[in-house]
Amino acid sequence: SIHTFKMAEKSADYSTTNGFESKTPFLIGVAGGTASGKSTVCQRIMEKLGQQHKEQTERRVVCISQDSFYRTLTPSERLRAERGQFNFDHPDAFDDKKLLAILKDILAGKKVEVPEYDYITNSISPHRSHTIYPADVVLIEGILVFYFPEVRELFHMKLFVDTDSDTRLARRVPRDIMERGRDLEQVLNQYMNFVKPAFEEFCLPTKKFADVIIPRGADNLVAIDLIVQHISDYLKRSPADKSIALELGLSSSSVP
Ligand code: UZR
Ligand code: MG
């Protein structure tokens, strides 16, 4: 069959990679509105995958936040940001080229440096970044990870965390006040002026690109279990089988 032929071809590729197998990680995009529970969903997936594979200690699952790809603001933008008048929910606030480049490196099995973002100063921490080593599964979470077409195309699996807006606002307010150093009036103004309209214009329309929509977010343990099961089935495949699965899309279970 055509699949058998493809597998033979791929196995040959593997033997030519001078001694070490370049591994293509399984790349998962996790989108959803602010405070929908994206980070928690990622956390749960990471924990469950770790537990299910205790025997294979080198199996690694890592998570990267789109926040690390906010672009550096100009001095005047910075002033606006301090007054809560900069739109951090707009696609233009991100350096999508940098995100794309880093994801391509990750897919090529390279180690990458991911900057750390500081919500208090609204900027990338100049001296802090963390190294992401080649992993089996890489999760990328953020409000607009499905917005940029070239980035979107790279994901092997796309999840959308779908939590009601009132629930999200109720979580966002205390989080911004306690963790991100804001006051109530500023948080609500920003929500009404930027966060809500940008969600409706840029984030919500990307729900249609998702493979799986997770209602209620991190509370949805059944959905998370199903997703984890799917990922771990993939991880159990041989390297050659994996590359075929990635090429054909994981829906195809016809790999011999
Ligand atoms: P999540 N954000 C900030 O509040 N300050 C920044 O410096 C950068 C981003 C917010 C951003 C968005 N909006 O709604 C939110 N504002 O971070 C996305 N205002 O993060 O997905 O964790 O809610
Ligand atoms: Mg977050």
mmCIF file of all heavy atoms in Angstrom, residues 31-57:
data_model
loop_
_atom_site.group_PDB
_atom_site.id
_atom_site.type_symbol
_atom_site.label_atom_id
_atom_site.label_comp_id
_atom_site.label_asym_id
_atom_site.label_seq_id
_atom_site.Cartn_x
_atom_site.Cartn_y
_atom_site.Cartn_z
ATOM 1 N N ALA A 31 -5.647 27.752 22.414
ATOM 2 C CA ALA A 31 -6.146 29.124 22.368
ATOM 3 C C ALA A 31 -7.392 29.250 23.231
ATOM 4 O O ALA A 31 -7.916 28.257 23.742
ATOM 5 C CB ALA A 31 -6.444 29.511 20.918
ATOM 6 N N GLY A 32 -7.874 30.487 23.373
ATOM 7 C CA GLY A 32 -9.063 30.739 24.188
ATOM 8 C C GLY A 32 -8.961 32.148 24.748
ATOM 9 O O GLY A 32 -7.882 32.733 24.758
ATOM 10 N N GLY A 33 -10.077 32.686 25.189
ATOM 11 C CA GLY A 33 -10.094 34.049 25.710
ATOM 12 C C GLY A 33 -9.250 34.201 26.962
ATOM 13 O O GLY A 33 -8.784 33.219 27.539
ATOM 14 N N THR A 34 -9.095 35.458 27.374
ATOM 15 C CA THR A 34 -8.323 35.717 28.583
ATOM 16 C C THR A 34 -8.959 35.007 29.779
ATOM 17 O O THR A 34 -10.190 34.923 29.870
ATOM 18 C CB THR A 34 -8.227 37.236 28.858
ATOM 19 O OG1 THR A 34 -7.379 37.430 29.987
ATOM 20 C CG2 THR A 34 -9.581 37.869 29.158
ATOM 21 N N ALA A 35 -8.119 34.474 30.645
ATOM 22 C CA ALA A 35 -8.570 33.799 31.862
ATOM 23 C C ALA A 35 -9.569 32.663 31.603
ATOM 24 O O ALA A 35 -10.423 32.374 32.426
ATOM 25 C CB ALA A 35 -9.152 34.806 32.866
ATOM 26 N N SER A 36 -9.434 32.027 30.446
ATOM 27 C CA SER A 36 -10.323 30.901 30.122
ATOM 28 C C SER A 36 -9.834 29.615 30.786
ATOM 29 O O SER A 36 -10.568 28.636 30.880
ATOM 30 C CB SER A 36 -10.402 30.696 28.607
ATOM 31 O OG SER A 36 -9.106 30.552 28.058
ATOM 32 N N GLY A 37 -8.579 29.626 31.201
ATOM 33 C CA GLY A 37 -8.005 28.430 31.816
ATOM 34 C C GLY A 37 -7.008 27.725 30.902
ATOM 35 O O GLY A 37 -6.721 26.547 31.090
ATOM 36 N N LYS A 38 -6.447 28.464 29.941
ATOM 37 C CA LYS A 38 -5.481 27.864 29.014
ATOM 38 C C LYS A 38 -4.275 27.292 29.738
ATOM 39 O O LYS A 38 -3.876 26.152 29.497
ATOM 40 C CB LYS A 38 -4.974 28.920 28.012
ATOM 41 C CG LYS A 38 -6.034 29.532 27.134
ATOM 42 C CD LYS A 38 -5.438 30.538 26.154
ATOM 43 C CE LYS A 38 -4.879 31.787 26.791
ATOM 44 N NZ LYS A 38 -5.882 32.664 27.426
ATOM 45 N N SER A 39 -3.706 28.095 30.638
ATOM 46 C CA SER A 39 -2.494 27.635 31.342
ATOM 47 C C SER A 39 -2.807 26.411 32.191
ATOM 48 O O SER A 39 -2.004 25.476 32.254
ATOM 49 C CB SER A 39 -1.926 28.725 32.249
ATOM 50 O OG SER A 39 -1.847 29.928 31.550
ATOM 51 N N THR A 40 -3.984 26.411 32.833
ATOM 52 C CA THR A 40 -4.349 25.278 33.688
ATOM 53 C C THR A 40 -4.583 24.017 32.854
ATOM 54 O O THR A 40 -4.151 22.926 33.248
ATOM 55 C CB THR A 40 -5.608 25.615 34.520
ATOM 56 O OG1 THR A 40 -5.450 26.931 35.040
ATOM 57 C CG2 THR A 40 -5.796 24.649 35.660
ATOM 58 N N VAL A 41 -5.227 24.173 31.707
ATOM 59 C CA VAL A 41 -5.412 23.014 30.823
ATOM 60 C C VAL A 41 -4.039 22.442 30.436
ATOM 61 O O VAL A 41 -3.818 21.234 30.499
ATOM 62 C CB VAL A 41 -6.239 23.397 29.564
ATOM 63 C CG1 VAL A 41 -6.115 22.342 28.480
ATOM 64 C CG2 VAL A 41 -7.703 23.620 29.936
ATOM 65 N N CYS A 42 -3.120 23.320 30.087
ATOM 66 C CA CYS A 42 -1.766 22.863 29.714
ATOM 67 C C CYS A 42 -1.098 22.138 30.875
ATOM 68 O O CYS A 42 -0.475 21.087 30.698
ATOM 69 C CB CYS A 42 -0.900 24.036 29.284
ATOM 70 S SG CYS A 42 -1.414 24.741 27.717
ATOM 71 N N GLN A 43 -1.247 22.734 32.066
ATOM 72 C CA GLN A 43 -0.686 22.135 33.278
ATOM 73 C C GLN A 43 -1.224 20.722 33.496
ATOM 74 O O GLN A 43 -0.478 19.786 33.742
ATOM 75 C CB GLN A 43 -1.098 23.022 34.472
ATOM 76 C CG GLN A 43 -0.101 23.055 35.602
ATOM 77 C CD GLN A 43 1.239 23.578 35.148
ATOM 78 O OE1 GLN A 43 1.299 24.607 34.468
ATOM 79 N NE2 GLN A 43 2.306 22.865 35.464
ATOM 80 N N ARG A 44 -2.538 20.578 33.353
ATOM 81 C CA ARG A 44 -3.176 19.269 33.564
ATOM 82 C C ARG A 44 -2.674 18.260 32.536
ATOM 83 O O ARG A 44 -2.392 17.109 32.866
ATOM 84 C CB ARG A 44 -4.699 19.377 33.439
ATOM 85 C CG ARG A 44 -5.355 20.285 34.439
ATOM 86 C CD ARG A 44 -6.096 19.511 35.537
ATOM 87 N NE ARG A 44 -6.171 20.304 36.766
ATOM 88 C CZ ARG A 44 -7.184 21.112 37.082
ATOM 89 N NH1 ARG A 44 -8.236 21.189 36.289
ATOM 90 N NH2 ARG A 44 -7.167 21.808 38.200
ATOM 91 N N ILE A 45 -2.577 18.695 31.293
ATOM 92 C CA ILE A 45 -2.103 17.796 30.235
ATOM 93 C C ILE A 45 -0.676 17.350 30.542
ATOM 94 O O ILE A 45 -0.345 16.170 30.445
ATOM 95 C CB ILE A 45 -2.179 18.476 28.840
ATOM 96 C CG1 ILE A 45 -3.649 18.695 28.445
ATOM 97 C CG2 ILE A 45 -1.454 17.651 27.786
ATOM 98 C CD1 ILE A 45 -3.843 19.460 27.136
ATOM 99 N N MET A 46 0.150 18.300 30.979
ATOM 100 C CA MET A 46 1.551 17.972 31.273
ATOM 101 C C MET A 46 1.641 16.978 32.418
ATOM 102 O O MET A 46 2.379 15.999 32.338
ATOM 103 C CB MET A 46 2.333 19.235 31.629
ATOM 104 C CG MET A 46 2.476 20.165 30.461
ATOM 105 S SD MET A 46 3.999 21.097 30.545
ATOM 106 C CE MET A 46 3.644 22.200 31.806
ATOM 107 N N GLU A 47 0.866 17.248 33.486
ATOM 108 C CA GLU A 47 0.903 16.342 34.647
ATOM 109 C C GLU A 47 0.468 14.942 34.260
ATOM 110 O O GLU A 47 1.116 13.963 34.585
ATOM 111 C CB GLU A 47 -0.045 16.846 35.744
ATOM 112 C CG GLU A 47 0.507 18.020 36.531
ATOM 113 C CD GLU A 47 -0.598 18.759 37.287
ATOM 114 O OE1 GLU A 47 -1.725 18.225 37.393
ATOM 115 O OE2 GLU A 47 -0.328 19.888 37.750
ATOM 116 N N LYS A 48 -0.649 14.865 33.529
ATOM 117 C CA LYS A 48 -1.192 13.549 33.187
ATOM 118 C C LYS A 48 -0.268 12.790 32.259
ATOM 119 O O LYS A 48 -0.088 11.593 32.393
ATOM 120 C CB LYS A 48 -2.563 13.691 32.541
ATOM 121 C CG LYS A 48 -3.572 14.229 33.509
ATOM 122 C CD LYS A 48 -4.935 13.691 33.217
ATOM 123 C CE LYS A 48 -5.841 14.033 34.385
ATOM 124 N NZ LYS A 48 -6.920 13.078 34.536
ATOM 125 N N LEU A 49 0.341 13.482 31.315
ATOM 126 C CA LEU A 49 1.260 12.800 30.405
ATOM 127 C C LEU A 49 2.468 12.294 31.162
ATOM 128 O O LEU A 49 2.964 11.205 30.913
ATOM 129 C CB LEU A 49 1.703 13.731 29.287
ATOM 130 C CG LEU A 49 0.754 13.866 28.111
ATOM 131 C CD1 LEU A 49 1.302 14.885 27.132
ATOM 132 C CD2 LEU A 49 0.552 12.528 27.414
ATOM 133 N N GLY A 50 2.940 13.083 32.113
ATOM 134 C CA GLY A 50 4.082 12.684 32.924
ATOM 135 C C GLY A 50 3.774 11.435 33.720
ATOM 136 O O GLY A 50 4.554 10.492 33.748
ATOM 137 N N GLN A 51 2.568 11.427 34.317
ATOM 138 C CA GLN A 51 2.183 10.281 35.143
ATOM 139 C C GLN A 51 2.003 9.013 34.328
ATOM 140 O O GLN A 51 2.366 7.933 34.753
ATOM 141 C CB GLN A 51 0.860 10.587 35.867
ATOM 142 C CG GLN A 51 1.047 11.473 37.076
ATOM 143 C CD GLN A 51 -0.280 12.007 37.567
ATOM 144 O OE1 GLN A 51 -1.330 11.581 37.118
ATOM 145 N NE2 GLN A 51 -0.225 12.939 38.492
ATOM 146 N N GLN A 52 1.452 9.179 33.133
ATOM 147 C CA GLN A 52 1.177 7.994 32.324
ATOM 148 C C GLN A 52 2.452 7.357 31.795
ATOM 149 O O GLN A 52 2.428 6.252 31.309
ATOM 150 C CB GLN A 52 0.289 8.381 31.130
ATOM 151 C CG GLN A 52 -1.096 8.769 31.565
ATOM 152 C CD GLN A 52 -2.093 8.615 30.442
ATOM 153 O OE1 GLN A 52 -1.722 8.560 29.279
ATOM 154 N NE2 GLN A 52 -3.349 8.531 30.789
ATOM 155 N N HIS A 53 3.535 8.080 31.862
ATOM 156 C CA HIS A 53 4.751 7.554 31.248
ATOM 157 C C HIS A 53 5.918 7.553 32.204
ATOM 158 O O HIS A 53 7.033 7.839 31.818
ATOM 159 C CB HIS A 53 5.093 8.353 29.994
ATOM 160 C CG HIS A 53 4.046 8.214 28.968
ATOM 161 N ND1 HIS A 53 3.918 7.080 28.224
ATOM 162 C CD2 HIS A 53 3.029 9.019 28.621
ATOM 163 C CE1 HIS A 53 2.872 7.215 27.447
ATOM 164 N NE2 HIS A 53 2.312 8.377 27.672
ATOM 165 N N LYS A 54 5.623 7.253 33.462
ATOM 166 C CA LYS A 54 6.687 7.254 34.463
ATOM 167 C C LYS A 54 7.866 6.393 34.041
ATOM 168 O O LYS A 54 9.003 6.719 34.305
ATOM 169 C CB LYS A 54 6.134 6.765 35.803
ATOM 170 C CG LYS A 54 5.630 7.922 36.644
ATOM 171 C CD LYS A 54 5.296 7.482 38.056
ATOM 172 C CE LYS A 54 4.557 8.579 38.778
ATOM 173 N NZ LYS A 54 3.304 8.137 39.372
ATOM 174 N N GLU A 55 7.560 5.268 33.354
ATOM 175 C CA GLU A 55 8.638 4.342 32.984
ATOM 176 C C GLU A 55 9.631 4.965 31.995
ATOM 177 O O GLU A 55 10.808 4.681 32.026
ATOM 178 C CB GLU A 55 8.064 3.009 32.493
ATOM 179 C CG GLU A 55 7.343 3.014 31.136
ATOM 180 C CD GLU A 55 5.932 3.600 31.190
ATOM 181 O OE1 GLU A 55 5.493 4.098 32.248
ATOM 182 O OE2 GLU A 55 5.266 3.587 30.149
ATOM 183 N N GLN A 56 9.153 5.867 31.139
ATOM 184 C CA GLN A 56 10.077 6.470 30.170
ATOM 185 C C GLN A 56 10.499 7.849 30.666
ATOM 186 O O GLN A 56 9.876 8.856 30.365
ATOM 187 C CB GLN A 56 9.418 6.582 28.797
ATOM 188 C CG GLN A 56 9.688 5.367 27.947
ATOM 189 C CD GLN A 56 8.479 5.005 27.139
ATOM 190 O OE1 GLN A 56 7.375 4.960 27.663
ATOM 191 N NE2 GLN A 56 8.687 4.733 25.872
ATOM 192 N N THR A 57 11.574 7.842 31.445
ATOM 193 C CA THR A 57 11.930 9.066 32.158
ATOM 194 C C THR A 57 12.369 10.205 31.243
ATOM 195 O O THR A 57 12.290 11.356 31.612
ATOM 196 C CB THR A 57 13.036 8.788 33.187
ATOM 197 O OG1 THR A 57 14.020 7.977 32.551
ATOM 198 C CG2 THR A 57 12.492 8.106 34.419
#
